[in-house]
Amino acid sequence: MKPWEGRFTGATDVLMERFSSSIAFDWRLFRYDIEGSAAYAEMLGRIGILSGSEASEIVAALSEIAGEIENGTLPFRDELEDIHMHVEQRLIEKIGELGKKLHTGRSRNEQVSLDTRMYVKEELARLDDDLKGLMEAIVRKAETEKTAIMPGYTHTRRAQVIPFAHFLMAWYYAFKRDRERVAGARLRADVMPLGSGALAGSTLPIDREFLRARLGFSRISENSMDAVADRDFVLDALYAAATIMLHLSRMSEDFILYSTEEFSYLSLPDALCTGSSLMPHKKNPDALELIRGKASRSMGALFTLFTLIKGLPSTYNRDLQEDKEPLFQSLASTREAVAIMALAVRGLFIDREAMERAVRMSFMPAVEMAEYLAAKGVPFREAHHIVGTMVKACEERKVFLWEMDLDEMRRYSEAFDEAVFDYVDPRHVVENRKTEGGASLREVERQIEKESAYLRGP
Ligand code: ARG
C-alpha cells in the first residue's frame, strides 16, 4: 500500500514505479532520514501530538530500522519510491497505528532537503579533513626537498629557475582556497528546513527551534517556499568539489609530464601506477590520469545541477530528485581523488640531478642577466634587448649564456663585469630573489613555517 493512494483509483504502472523510484541511490541517506524522524517524533511528543511513551516507542523502532538497513535485511521496493517512504512504511509494519502518526505536519519535500543537507554537512567535513591531509603531505614534501631546484615553466617552455618546493607549495595554496570554499558550502548547508511542510508550514505548533538544536544546525530556514525549493547548497558543494578536482587535475598533469622519460624529474610510487598487458616495460600513471578523467565528471555534476534547476517554477518539483546521483558521485570521487593525490605526493621520488641539469642546460638565467644590467643602471627594455641578442648569438653557436666569456659579453654591454657569472648562477638566483612570495629558498622556508603553524590549527 502506498501512503498517498487514498485519492487514486487506478494502480501505478510498473514501468512508472521503476522510473520514479530513487531508493537505489537515496538509501544512502537512511541514517539522516532516521535521525531526522527520531528528532521529529521527540518534537511531536513535546507539543502533545504524541505522548512521551509513544515518542519513545517510535524512536526505538526507528533505531531498529537503521540496524535493518545497515545489515541489508530491509528489502527495497520500487513501489515505495524513496528512503523516506521505506522508513515510514517499515515503522508502520513494526508498530502499527502509532507509526502512522509520525508524518503529522510533515512532507517529504522538507525531509529530502533535511537529509541532503545533513549528508552534505558530514561529507564536506570529511572532505575538509582529506584536504588538510593533502596539504600536510605537500608541506612535508616541500620541507624534505627544500634545496632542490628545477626549471619553472610558462607555455611549457623553460622560463626561470625555481625551488622545487616553491612549485609544490603553489598547489598547496590552491587547496587552501579550496578549504575556504568548502567552509562556505558547509555554512550554506547548515540550515534546518523541517517545519516548512510541503511548501507552507503547518497549523500545528511545530517546534522548529527544538528540531534545529536537536539536529545540530546553526539556523532555521526563514521561508517555507524557499526552503523546499532551495538547492543552492548542493550547487555550492558541487562547485567546491569541481574546483578541487580542477586543481587536482592540473596538478596531475604536472606530475604526469614531469615523470615522463623526456623530463624524468619525478617518478611516481608503484602503488599508484599500473603496467601494460602487452608492453613489459611500461609503468603508467593511471591514478593521475583517472583524477584528470574524474574531474570532468565533477564538472558535469555541477552543470547537471544548474540545468536541472534553472527552469523550475517555485517550490518543490520532482525534477529535484535528479540532484542526488551527481551529488553523491561527485563528493565521493573528489574525496577519493584528494586521498590519492596525498599518496602521490608522499610517495613521489624527486630526481634532483635531472632537475638541476635541466636548469643549467638552458637559457634560463636570461631574466637575471637583464636584471643584473638593470641594477647597473641600464634601462630594463634596453637590457632585455641586449640579452635577447646575446641569446640569439648563443643559439647560432650552440652554447649557453653562461658559456660566453666576459670579453664577448662586454661587446654587448659595457656594464658587464666578472660578477655576472655568480649573479646568474641558478643556485645564487634562488638565494638572491628578494620579492615576498617569490621563488626563493628564503620564501620557501617562510611558507613552510607559516603553513605548518596553520595546519596545526583546526
Ligand atoms: N524522492 C524525492 C526526492 O528525492 C523526495 C520528495 C518527494 N516528494 C514528492 N512530493 N514527490 O526529491
Side-chain angles (χ1 to χ4, degrees), residues 3 96 119 137 145 193 212 231 247 269 280 285 350 376 389 419 428 456:
Y119 162 84
E145 302 296 342
R212 181 200 66 74
R231 293 294 181 275
H247 292 147
I350 283 104
K376 303 221 154 212
T389 336
H428 181 257
R456 282 193 290 274

Side-chain angles (χ1 to χ4, degrees), residues 26 54 59 66 95 142 167 177 213 223 225 298 320 333 337 344 372 375 378 384 400 427:
D26 68 13
E54 283 177 329
V59 172
I95 62 173
F167 151 75
R177 290 193 297 279
N223 178 303
M225 292 177 75
S298 282
L320 292 177
S333 72
Y372 173 86
V378 182
H384 186 290
F400 292 115
R427 288 264 153 209

